[in-house]
Amino acid sequence: MYFNIPTKIYFEDDVLKKQGHEIGKYGKKALLVAGRSSAEKSGVLRDLLPILDSLGIKYVYFNEIMENPEISIVEKGKELFQEQNCDMVIAIGGGSPMDAGKAISLMAANNLSAQNLFDVNNHKKAFPIITIPTTSGTGSEVTQYSVLNNAKTNTKAGFGSELMFSRVSFLDPKYTESLSDTVTRDTAIDALSHLLEGLYSNKYNEFLQPFIYSGVKLIYDNLSHCIAAMPKGENQVQRKGRKSLMLASNYGGIVIAHTSTTLQHSIGYPLTTSYGVSHGLANGLVMKQIMNLYEPHIKDRLDNLFGYLKISKLDFFKWLDTLEMSLEQKITETFLQEKVPEVMKSRNMAFNPCPVSENEIINIYNSL
Ligand code: NAP
Ligand code: ZN
């Protein structure tokens, strides 16, 4: 068995005010990598900038990361990092800015381009990476992965390097209170996918079981409250719910850092690149089908999980139905011809608990 998460995690209310001084250990000039507006909307910038000023840390704000970060923009971030003589990355946002920030650090340290970034032989060093999540979904703050989009090839693919673990991550549930209901649901479903795929993966180990069980329970018990029509912010149920989802998301990251993801993620990437479906929703759309496909091979693990939750698989499926996840578009023949072979070749396929055929993938797509 094996367990290793080299990231120092601070998780508390007002985390930056209480622990932000730690950033001073890592560098003197930061590239702040963010999406268009979430670093502001979430309140992170309001808390962070005075701390950087008080520590004498200079910064450059790069807020051009869009959802499903484009590799050419990541390359632009690397150039800015180098031109401005930065010496650390502070990535603020959901998985997209965190993944982009991690890749920028690696690219800048090894002077890599979009063409040679994915070759692990080129990964010799990285600048310190600090992460501040504003969604509760990807767990990217504690994983060694970065998932990038390539518009030229219409593909989305991840890669991993131990060098991309963030040195320190600051988690504060209040930064997720500005999320829309849709992003809250989709990101929580992404976290749920990570936890379940950790259980399914052929790299599962028992160190991970407490994270998986608790994480699934936190989402099952709290997601519906967070997206129900109720006042945001001050409401205690919301507060507890937001904390629970952030914890579950972090657990999911800890899990996939060890197990990787499986077919459930591979099958979702083409739904994002071809139909614009969000990452979490893409996983949610196929969650039941994947569970049914894997069940004969991991039946004990699944029975034990549902025993812990004190529900049946059918109860779980009914709960998923209440989240109203559906695909607006129709899957086309051209999509299947182009994307099924791509799914078969993806790296996550190595971690399925059983062999999976092209036909099984086609059947899942056709069930949407
Ligand atoms: P995201 O793409 O980072 O953000 C989704 C949307 O939410 C964006 O419009 C963003 O706005 C907005 N947003 C984020 N935080 C907000 C806040 N606090 N208030 C209001 N709006 C906010 O979403 P994500 O689901 O967290 O990340 C998905 C990406 O992560 C995918 O590319 C996926 O492949 C990747 N991923 C990585 C890992 C890993 O281990 N590295 C694991 C799973 C998934 P802005 O545009 O302004 O930021
Ligand atoms: Zn994911």
Side-chain angles (χ1 to χ4, degrees), residues 31 35 53 81 88 95 102 145 178 209 218 233-235 337:
L31 185 71
D53 289 339
F81 185 103
M88 66 174 149
K102 288 154 77 175
Y145 311 122
S178 50
Q209 183 187 295
L218 285 166
E234 290 309 309
N235 185 302
Q337 276 166 17

Side-chain angles (χ1 to χ4, degrees), residues 137-138 190-191 193-194 256 261 265 269 279 283:
T138 69
D190 186 27
S193 310
H194 299 158
I256 59 166
T261 52
H265 265 65
Y269 291 146
H279 174 69
N283 286 310

